[in-house]
């Protein structure tokens, strides 16, 4: 890593974390050890990972583990993804400030908050009503005005607000849902784990001149996409 790059990152770290509490320190450590060291380079992604308080998105009794290198249970048999996977998927989307993003699988709302720090609007769909309601309330409490949460089957996307410049799916279907391909804007990027549990691959899907191009990124382990 170049010295200038490291210096720049330290400037971000210091400016983003003026109030030093226990969680802030853990978050800075998380970003250094799990995000930067493993090769995430997008400055906006790093900044968002420093800013969003991950401990607010996990159950109270698990807050001390919020910055560890692993997924955590959030109730209803679901999980909040490992921080590195959140950062990697976000970086793969190559977001612009004007982008409108569709997320399938709101879960805790953490990934939606990361996206909302970087892009213009986030539309997120969660199939389980208790999780959808909880995430909606938390994101409102945290002051996010550019996130819309809906309870429904994300296989169908959110046609009313399509097309989306970026789509992120955080539960794994066995194939890429056709409605999501349709709702991806020309030039848009989608990241999606695909395959039967536990053999899933993270795919980057891009739409160029109406055609779909797929690239395999890494093997991953996500909860399966449920259907209504
Ligand atoms: N992005 C989340 C992680 C979510 S885990 C976070 O940051 O916390 C995957 C989520 O996808 C679970 O909450 C699960 O209930 C949801 N899910 C599963 N099938 C779905 C579907 N068909 N539509 C929408 N959400 C779905």
């Amino acid at each position: 890593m170049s010295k200038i790059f490291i210096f720049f990152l330290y400037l971000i770290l210091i400016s983003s974390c003026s109030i030093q509490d226990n969680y802030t320190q853990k978050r800075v450590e998380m970003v250094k050890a799990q995000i930067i060291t493993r090769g995430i380079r997008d400055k906006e992604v790093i900044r968002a990972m420093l800013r969003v308080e991950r401990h607010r998105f996990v159950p109270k009794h698990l807050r001390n583990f919020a910055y560890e290198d692993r997924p955590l249970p959030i109730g209803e048999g679901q999980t909040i993804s490992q921080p590195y996977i959140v950062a990697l998927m976000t970086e793969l989307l190559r977001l612009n400030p004007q982008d409108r993003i569709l997320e399938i699988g709101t879960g805790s709302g953490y990934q939606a908050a990361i996206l909302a720090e970087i892009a213009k609007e986030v539309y997120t769909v969660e199939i389980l009503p208790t999780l959808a309601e909880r995430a909606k309330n938390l994101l409102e409490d945290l002051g996010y005005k550019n996130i819309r949460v809906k309870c429904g089957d994300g296989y169908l996307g959110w046609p009313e607000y399509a097309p989306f410049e970026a789509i992120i799916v955080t539960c794994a279907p066995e194939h890429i849902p056709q409605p999501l391909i349709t709702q991806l804007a020309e030039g848009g990027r989608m990241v999606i784990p695909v395959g039967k549990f536990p053999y899933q691959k993270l795919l980057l899907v891009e739409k160029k001149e109406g055609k779909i191009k797929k690239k395999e990124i890494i093997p991953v382990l996500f909860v399966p996409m449920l259907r209504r």
Side-chain angles (χ1 to χ4, degrees):
M1 222 185 313
S2 81
K3 285 197 175 120
I4 295 175
F5 186 73
I6 294 175
F7 177 68
F8 184 76
L9 287 176
Y10 272 99
L11 284 187
I12 298 183
L13 292 176
I14 292 161
S15 63
S16 313
C17 305
S18 45
I19 307 160
Q20 290 288 329
D21 60 33
N22 190 21
Y23 288 124
T24 307
Q25 271 173 20
K26 285 187 176 182
R27 198 157 59 250
V28 172
E29 271 311 308
M30 171 193 87
V31 170
K32 276 199 267 183
Q34 301 172 38
I35 307 300
I36 297 172
T37 308
R38 292 197 189 135
I40 300 298
R41 288 292 172 271
D42 185 322
K43 290 191 246 357
E44 291 304 320
V45 175
I46 293 171
R47 212 190 293 261
M49 298 291 295
L50 281 169
R51 205 174 300 151
V52 179
E53 300 188 328
R54 187 173 159 92
H55 62 276
R56 301 286 303 265
F57 294 83
V58 306
K60 279 211 173 82
H61 68 284
L62 295 176
R63 281 192 169 174
N64 271 337
F65 304 104
Y67 297 98
E68 292 194 356
D69 188 15
R70 55 167 161 141
L72 289 171
I74 53 170
E76 309 271 330
Q78 306 302 327
T79 52
I80 177 174
S81 306
Q82 179 193 7
Y84 172 69
I85 291 292
V86 172
L88 175 68
M89 290 174 82
T90 310
E91 182 171 70
L92 285 167
L93 291 174
R94 303 197 307 273
L95 296 175
N96 298 303
Q98 287 314 308
D99 284 350
R100 295 162 66 256
I101 312 173
L102 173 66
E103 181 194 26
I104 306 303
T106 315
S108 66
Y110 177 69
Q111 174 76 71
I114 295 285
L115 298 168
E117 293 281 343
I118 305 173
K120 188 169 172 212
E121 285 162 12
V122 179
Y123 297 84
T124 179
V125 185
E126 167 58 52
I127 201 163
L128 300 177
T130 44
L131 293 184
E133 192 57 28
R134 200 198 297 153
K136 187 169 186 279
N137 291 337
L138 175 60
L139 291 165
E140 260 170 37
D141 285 354
L142 294 174
Y144 287 99
K145 305 233 182 300
N146 58 341
I147 304 178
R148 224 174 249 235
V149 183
K150 168 172 114 160
C151 184
D153 182 356
Y155 185 94
L156 305 170
W158 199 336
E160 291 86 340
Y161 293 102
F164 302 96
E165 285 75 37
I167 299 182
I168 178 169
V169 184
T170 65
C171 48
E174 290 182 14
H175 60 264
I176 305 173
Q178 182 58 44
L180 300 186
I181 294 177
T182 307
Q183 291 170 34
L184 188 62
E186 172 58 31
R189 292 83 52 203
M190 164 158 52
V191 278
I192 178 167
V194 177
K196 252 199 178 103
F197 189 90
Y199 302 104
Q200 304 157 355
K201 284 173 182 154
L202 189 64
L203 302 183
L204 172 63
V205 178
E206 299 194 54
K207 199 188 252 187
K208 281 192 187 136
E209 290 160 16
K211 292 204 187 74
I212 286 300
K213 203 180 76 184
K214 294 179 212 165
K215 187 177 169 197
E216 282 183 24
I217 308 295
I218 48 165
V220 285
L221 200 55
F222 277 81
V223 295
M225 181 181 271
L226 311 169
R227 296 303 314 277
R228 259 197 182 153

